Each structure stands twice: as structure tokens, then as C-alpha cells.
Amino acid sequence: MTPVTPASVLATTVGSRCPEGAADVEFATRVDAFTDRHRDGLLAADAWESAGPPVRELLRAVGEAGLLRDAWADRGGDRATALWRAAALHRAFARVGNGAPGAALLTHLEVATRLLGVLPTTPAGLVPGALAGSSTSALAATEPDGGSDLTALRTTVGAGSAGGLTVTGTKWFISNAPYADHLLVLADDRDGRTGRRGPALLLVPAGPGVEVTTLDGLGHTGLTGAVALDAAPVAAVLAVGGHGLLVLMRHWIHERVMLAVRMAELAASVLDHAVADAGRRTTFGVPLITNQHVRFTLARLDADVQEVRAMAGQSLRLLAAGACPGGWAAAGKHRAAAVLAEVADEALQLSGGDGYRRGHPAERALRDATGLALAGGTTELMLQQIDRG
Ligand SMILES: Cc1cc2nc3c(=O)[nH]c(=O)nc-3n(C[C@H](O)[C@H](O)[C@H](O)COP(=O)(O)OP(=O)(O)OC[C@H]3O[C@@H](n4cnc5c(N)ncnc54)[C@H](O)[C@@H]3O)c2cc1C
């Protein structure tokens, strides 16, 4: 991890507006109103465990409420407020007890607005549509063989008709792919057709040459997809060969920080449920929570949750200060995934057979923790990043 001295921490928290201090009460109130309104509908955990999660519907509703625009439109350099608002959305969605709506939001927010918003070749209209929630996107980087090593891409850039470009290959485990209007595809440009050789980032509309099959996993049913690209027409070159991975690197730091924010809040919500449940369940004539062992377990988990919240907060502060905190983002994601898995496992145990039921908050979180430890870079790749500094 990059060494952070007390002075540099002070500089980032005092020298810029701290995201936690930049709390925007008006925005938070609107997010609360949105989650209250949709808690039993679009945000209900059950809806996201069905074969057809309401991805488009949720993004449209968040967009129509103006929350995407207010969190992600260019705020004239006020990065702290933008980050605080984006994190507030993730926290609120995690609090409703399921990681899946956050996955749809994260891919859409980070890919469609932040990334497309900064690339000069993005076609006009794409970002406003993304902010309105009327168009959806997916980032297709992982391939069936060795997603951790994106320098070994098998998806390639080819020549199309009338001087255009095409892309051919297979991507999988792509969040939002079954609902995406366009894909951001990482592909190897072996012949330098984009201007240079190497990994390029291409905008590919869902349509001819693109076939998406839904992939079901331990959690997040119906949300991820396998994408077969067969000479699919390229609408725009977002990053030329050799620059595709560089452009994505910074995106992944944001993604890992937001994943840590989400996992910390999901763990907090499962822990709150476990505390309430241990106060309600009675064994041997007394509430479960009267046992010292149970109270100590809950206290230890609470300390773990506070630790990963603080790590995520520090990563947000560094991002807000304009730093590129790769080590902090990796450490935060690594620890948050471990804490979420431990909280979910202990909470399930404390609830006994009830916790083992399909759909119990702890059972759901245990499945989410497994997926979130893989998505956005695996635990081992996070350790590799921390080791490199
Ligand atoms: C819920 C979910 C959502 C996802 N969403 C997206 C998405 O939107 N877009 C996208 O492009 N991808 C997405 N992914 C894919 C995800 O990024 C990959 O699964 C992940 O990067 C790992 O790649 P892999 O599955 O090919 O595993 P591999 O790279 O084959 O790795 C297999 C195992 O080996 C370990 N490993 C690999 N290299 C090393 C090493 N050098 N040293 C030690 N251990 C190593 C890995 O940690 C892993 O445990 C998603 C995955 C999930 C589960």
C-alpha cells in the first residue's frame, strides 16, 4: 500500500472538502424518500433473486428522480460532493438488504457516466441518456479464460464494411449485460486498426453480432450474462489500442472503493438484524443476547464493521483529493469482503435454522459476499495490488 503519513492524511482531509463532512442533507433526504418508496417494489430483495431482476425499471426510476444526474453530472470540479452522493446511493441500496441493486447501479453509474463522461470520443447523447436512466450499459472485460489477467485477451478487433471496425470474441460474468443497450468491450487490437496495437476499449451497441445469455450464480440471479461477439459492429473507439487498460485502471479504483462502501453497509445492516434477532430469540428462558459470548461476538463484529467503514471513508477522502489510491482501494475491498462474509456467517449461526432459510438476510449476504469477493477483482488480486503498493 502507498505509505500515507499523518501529514498527507491531514492534507487530504483538511485541504479538500471531506466527503463525510460534505454531507448533503437535501440529497440524503431524497435518497431516503426513494428507498422508502421502492423498498417493497423495485428494491425488494426477492425481485432481484428472480430470473428477471428489474434493472431497467430501477435505473429509470433513479434517473427520473434526478438522483443519477445530481450524483454524477459534472459538478464543476466539486469531486467531494459527487463522491459523497454516489456513496450515499450505494449505502442506501445496501441497507435494503441485498447487494444486487447496487451491482446494477455501480456498473451503470461508473461505466456509463463517469467513464463515458470523460472520454472525448463518446457519442453525443449517451451520457444524458445514462443520467436520465433511459439507457443502460455494461462493461465487458472478463473472458472465460483467466479474467484476472486482462493482458491475455482473446477478443479481437477486426475490419468491418465501409472502413468500420468489428469485434469478435466471448465475454462472461458481465453485470447488466442482459439489459444493456450498449457494451464497453475491452479487445485486443493486434493489427493497430484503432491507431495503435494492444488492448482497446470499444463501444458496441446491443444488436447484430451480439448475443447475450443470462448466467445464474450463487446470488444475483439473472443479472450477469455471457456475451458472444461475432463481428459485432463498433460504434466508437473509446480508447485506442494500448490505452484501453490504462483508462480502465482508474475506473477500477473507483469501483473497488464503492464496492467497499457497499459491502461495509451491507455488513452493518445484517449485523443490526442479528442484534435485533438475538434480543428477540429466547433459549433456556432468557433472550439469546443475555449470553456474554453472544454479546462479545456482536461487539467484535461491530468493531470490524466500523474498521471497514473507516477504510472506505479514507479511500473516498483520497479520491476526493484527486489521488489515485490503488493500494487503499484494494485493501478496503479485500477487508470489506472478508468482514461481510464473517458477519453473514456469524449472523446466520446466531439465527439457527431460521438463518439457513433461503432469503434470510444473513443467508443472502453470505451469497453476496462470495460474489463481491470476485467481482471487481478477486481477493488474491487485491493482495497482489497491496503487495505492489
Ligand atoms: C457477481 C459478479 C459480477 C461481475 N461483473 C463483471 C462485469 O460487470 N464486467 C466484467 O468484465 N467482469 C465481471 N465479473 C468477472 C470478475 O471480474 C472475474 O470473475 C474476476 O476478475 C476473476 O476472473 P476469473 O473469474 O476469470 O478468474 P481467474 O482469473 O481464472 O482466477 C481464478 C482464481 O485464481 C486466482 N488467481 C488468478 N491469478 C492469480 C495469481 N497470479 N496469484 C494467485 N491467485 C491468482 C484468482 O484470484 C481466482 O481465485 C463479475 C464477476 C462476478 C462474480
Side-chain angles (χ1 to χ4, degrees):
M1 192 189 307
T2 311
V4 175
T5 61
S8 69
V9 171
L10 203 65
T12 55
T13 51
V14 177
S16 72
R17 286 179 66 199
C18 152
E20 307 303 298
D24 179 338
V25 176
E26 194 266 338
F27 185 79
T29 307
R30 283 167 55 210
V31 172
D32 281 351
F34 183 88
T35 44
D36 280 350
R37 185 161 160 229
H38 295 288
R39 187 180 300 274
D40 298 323
L42 287 179
L43 289 170
D46 286 346
W48 293 82
E49 305 235 312
S50 67
V55 175
R56 282 180 180 282
E57 294 83 348
L58 175 69
L59 292 176
R60 197 175 306 120
V62 192
E64 281 173 3
L67 298 175
L68 298 179
R69 188 190 57 240
D70 290 349
W72 279 92
D74 180 9
R75 304 194 54 75
D78 185 1
R79 202 184 284 132
T81 300
L83 281 167
W84 188 90
R85 288 180 174 183
L89 267 178
H90 283 300
R91 288 186 177 120
F93 283 13
R95 275 260 149 205
V96 268
N98 183 323
L105 189 74
L106 184 63
T107 321
H108 181 78
L109 276 177
E110 296 283 348
V111 175
T113 56
R114 204 185 70 75
L115 190 55
L116 290 176
V118 297
L119 296 172
T121 47
T122 299
L126 215 56
V127 173
L131 292 173
S134 58
S135 78
T136 57
S137 58
L139 171 62
T142 304
E143 300 186 352
D145 290 307
S148 301
D149 178 12
L150 293 175
T151 58
L153 294 168
R154 295 189 181 189
T155 300
T156 53
V157 180
S161 56
L165 298 175
T166 61
V167 61
T168 297
T170 307
K171 300 285 180 181
W172 83 333
F173 268 101
I174 309 305
S175 302
N176 285 356
Y179 311 91
D181 298 312
H182 45 262
L183 303 155
L184 279 77
V185 178
L186 190 68
D188 190 12
D189 185 0
R190 292 177 186 165
D191 303 313
R193 295 180 199 276
T194 58
R196 294 179 65 157
R197 291 171 201 262
L201 189 64
L202 310 165
L203 185 72
V204 177
V210 179
E211 196 180 316
V212 181
T213 320
T214 302
L215 284 178
D216 286 338
L218 204 56
H220 291 199
T221 313
L223 190 60
T224 55
V227 183
L229 301 158
D230 181 10
V234 171
V237 176
L238 299 170
V240 297
H243 288 207
L245 271 178
L246 289 175
V247 162
L248 287 178
M249 288 298 175
R250 200 170 166 97
H251 158 79
W252 276 317
I253 292 175
H254 275 252
E255 184 179 34
R256 286 166 190 170
V257 172
M258 291 303 172
L259 277 167
V261 166
R262 273 172 59 197
M263 287 191 275
E265 213 54 39
L266 187 51
S269 117
V270 172
L271 186 57
D272 285 353
H273 185 275
V275 170
D277 203 38
R280 188 185 55 77
R281 296 183 79 80
T282 301
T283 59
F284 302 102
V286 289
L288 204 54
I289 204 161
T290 53
N291 292 284
Q292 191 184 53
H293 168 75
V294 172
R295 289 205 309 279
F296 279 9
T297 300
L298 294 170
R300 178 173 51 78
L301 296 175
D302 189 37
D304 288 344
V305 169
Q306 298 312 331
E307 173 207 327
V308 290
R309 267 184 171 155
M311 285 181 87
Q314 175 60 5
S315 300
L316 281 171
R317 276 187 284 276
L318 290 167
L319 279 180
C324 202
W328 273 92
K333 181 181 185 275
H334 165 58
R335 284 292 299 140
V339 166
L340 175 58
E342 194 186 358
V343 167
D345 187 41
E346 294 274 19
L348 190 153
Q349 186 71 15
L350 277 173
S351 291
D354 187 37
Y356 187 63
R357 266 185 320 107
R358 193 71 151 173
H360 185 280
E363 182 270 344
R364 234 172 217 147
L366 198 54
R367 285 186 281 124
D368 277 340
T370 312
L372 292 169
L374 292 168
T378 63
T379 296
E380 292 74 18
L381 267 286
M382 294 308 103
L383 291 172
Q384 196 179 73
Q385 169 77 59
I386 297 164
D387 175 52
R388 283 179 183 161

